[in-house]
Amino acid sequence: MTASSTSRPASHSAPHRMDSSGGCPHASNAALLAKGAAAEVLLPGDVPAAAVLGHEALKEFIGRPDVAKNARHFTALREGRIPDGWPLRTFATVQGMVTSDGDDHRRLRALVSKAFTARRVEALRPGIERLTDELLDGVEAAAAAAAGARGDAAGSRAADGVVDLRALFALPLPMSVISELLGVDAEFRDRLHVLSNQVVATDIGPGEAVAANREMVAVLAAVAASRKDRPGDDLTSALIAAREEGGDRLGEGGDRLGEAELIGTMIVMIIAGHETTLNLITNAVRALCAHRDQLELIRAGGADWADAVEETLRWDSPVSFFPFRYPTRDVTVDGTLIPAGTPVLAGFSAAGRDPAAHGPDADRFDITRRTRSTTRHLSLGHGAHYCLGAPLARMETTIALRRLFTRFPDLRIAVPEEELPRHRSFVGNSVRELPVVLG
């Protein structure tokens, strides 16, 4: 199923309305995929859009030269039909790598990529390992305290202590790492997580959306001001230096980093740098707890933790539908006409379970899959916009899983999967809480 610039009759079925409240995407993804590799959809506010869901179609669509990331190609936005409080507006208007093309994208990516070289990422390993162990100490202490409180209440000292692994472990690990990389002081981190959650939410009201975006800009401006006064060996300090030194041209199309690009880059780095890895760790723990045979396979040496990370990325992608790309001319994807200027969602969670690419058992969690298949998932992107932080996310998650399950081999989820509260967004794909018993 591939994209084509030759228009064919599009489906006359009603567009699929994206569920603003989030929820588990896999059932609706399967239903959409059964109809084709792309679909007409409605975004919040009844904004017409499209989603590309099939693996091969998405891979080709992402790489097309007539598909752009810059929102100047977003017809409804350009014509003033997208209000300030639209929940997805930041994904279109933030200035940075994810909304730039060509020379601008290469300039911004080059500035940021220095923080993510293989050498620099590997140098982070000892610190990540120490932080992981410290966080697990805290998880164990919290479980003991919860068990004690429950035991006192129940008159028994044998009660299990339930703790939220997402809040105590999966969140602070990547948030601490990306904050250290960016030079974000500890006082800002909790608030930035709350704000990033609001920025990526798709069921947020207009007033809340505007307020969250304004506050995130203000907080990151304060971080940038702190780093300007006290520069260090961090990415924000390096970006500020790039803004203040070098060529004469500033901002878009120029040689240096403009103020809006600086803050926009920081927004993207904070959100992508912790939300994706937070979801990945959470989803991997859920998957392994639900598939104990796969966990035992790792322990027996039949696979490794990196295999579990890759299969989680495919099977339960941390990002479900990523906004936006815009065709610069009318294109057709598997019979679905996508007019020029239409905002298009990249359906990573759907592509990960596309049976046309991953076989008839694509909905089965199997950590040996990548050793038997040459098809690579797209969950971290493809082509020019492939995720710069992918090696760091993989390393953090591999360390987290190895140390977590080595220390707590009998760890289990404390409630049935269907009772776990889901994200309030069709962008991120995970749960908001992960209550566990350490065993």
Side-chain angles (χ1 to χ4, degrees), residues 404-417:
L404 174 68
F405 284 106
T406 298
R407 186 159 174 173
F408 308 115
D410 298 320
L411 180 142
R412 58 182 173 84
I413 311 299
V415 300
E417 172 71 21

Side-chain angles (χ1 to χ4, degrees), residues 25-382:
H26 300 303
S28 61
N29 285 349
L32 286 172
L33 264 176
K35 298 177 182 178
E40 298 175 30
V41 302
L42 286 177
L43 300 176
D46 288 343
V47 175
V52 181
L53 310 111
H55 175 94
E56 288 300 326
L58 180 57
K59 184 176 179 180
E60 182 176 344
F61 184 80
I62 286 173
R64 288 179 66 110
D66 53 2
V67 170
K69 293 280 282 179
N70 193 299
R72 66 170 171 261
H73 301 287
F74 186 174
T75 301
L77 181 68
R78 189 175 65 245
E79 294 177 352
R81 293 186 277 120
I82 302 297
D84 286 344
W86 192 54
L88 293 165
R89 187 180 175 99
T90 297
F91 286 100
T93 60
V94 66
Q95 293 191 35
M97 290 183 300
V98 296
T99 54
S100 60
D101 302 299
D103 289 342
D104 276 326
H105 175 253
R106 285 185 285 272
R107 171 177 59 88
L108 292 166
R109 192 175 176 94
L111 288 170
V112 175
S113 64
K114 298 170 186 176
F116 294 97
T117 64
R119 183 177 179 180
R120 291 203 68 170
V121 169
E122 186 58 33
L124 296 172
R125 182 181 295 276
I128 293 173
E129 291 174 339
R130 283 193 301 272
L131 175 60
T132 299
D133 289 339
E134 290 170 5
L135 291 172
L136 291 177
D137 288 343
V139 169
E140 188 167 24
R150 183 175 172 183
D152 291 342
S156 168
R157 304 180 68 179
D160 289 330
V162 177
V163 292
D164 184 355
L165 193 72
R166 181 177 174 88
L168 295 177
F169 180 62
L171 165 60
L173 177 59
M175 189 64 178
S176 296
V177 173
I178 195 62
S179 294
E180 289 292 332
L181 274 175
L182 278 173
V184 175
D185 295 330
E187 64 191 274
F188 297 114
R189 295 177 189 179
D190 287 346
R191 189 59 189 159
L192 283 173
H193 171 64
V194 172
L195 291 170
S196 70
N197 256 218
Q198 293 175 321
V199 168
V200 302
T202 51
D203 71 342
I204 193 170
E208 289 179 283
V210 171
N213 278 277
R214 286 177 177 169
E215 186 178 352
M216 175 162 266
V217 169
V219 171
L220 290 176
V223 172
S226 174
R227 294 281 68 80
K228 184 176 181 180
D229 291 340
R230 295 181 289 106
D233 184 21
D234 58 76
L235 181 56
T236 301
S237 297
L239 292 174
I240 291 171
R243 185 186 65 184
E244 298 182 346
E245 300 171 3
D248 297 326
R249 296 183 299 156
L250 187 66
E252 187 173 332
D255 302 313
R256 296 191 290 156
L257 194 72
E259 179 69 21
E261 288 179 330
L262 170 63
I263 300 300
T265 298
M266 293 173 71
I267 290 173
V268 170
M269 296 298 295
I270 281 289
I271 294 176
H274 91 278
E275 290 280 356
T276 302
T277 308
L278 162 60
N279 289 350
L280 178 55
I281 294 171
T282 302
N283 292 357
V285 172
R286 290 166 51 224
L288 289 168
C289 284
H291 300 83
R292 308 300 295 199
D293 60 321
Q294 303 290 287
L295 195 52
E296 293 307 316
L297 185 63
I298 296 173
R299 289 171 174 153
D304 58 37
W305 298 107
D307 294 323
V309 173
E310 292 308 307
E311 181 65 350
T312 302
L313 283 164
R314 181 201 70 83
W315 185 75
D316 206 12
S317 171
V319 175
S320 193
F321 289 92
F322 192 79
F324 289 117
R325 286 175 168 82
Y326 318 93
T328 58
R329 58 175 178 167
D330 293 358
V331 301
T332 297
V333 180
D334 196 32
T336 295
L337 175 66
I338 306 177
T342 300
V344 180
L345 300 170
F348 293 126
S349 63
R353 295 197 185 192
D354 183 358
H358 301 289
D361 67 342
D363 61 351
R364 183 167 65 92
F365 183 75
D366 177 7
I367 62 175
T368 69
R369 186 183 304 271
R370 74 167 178 160
T371 64
R372 298 181 284 101
S373 173
T374 58
T375 303
R376 298 297 303 272
H377 63 77
L378 302 173
S379 291
L380 294 169
H382 175 70

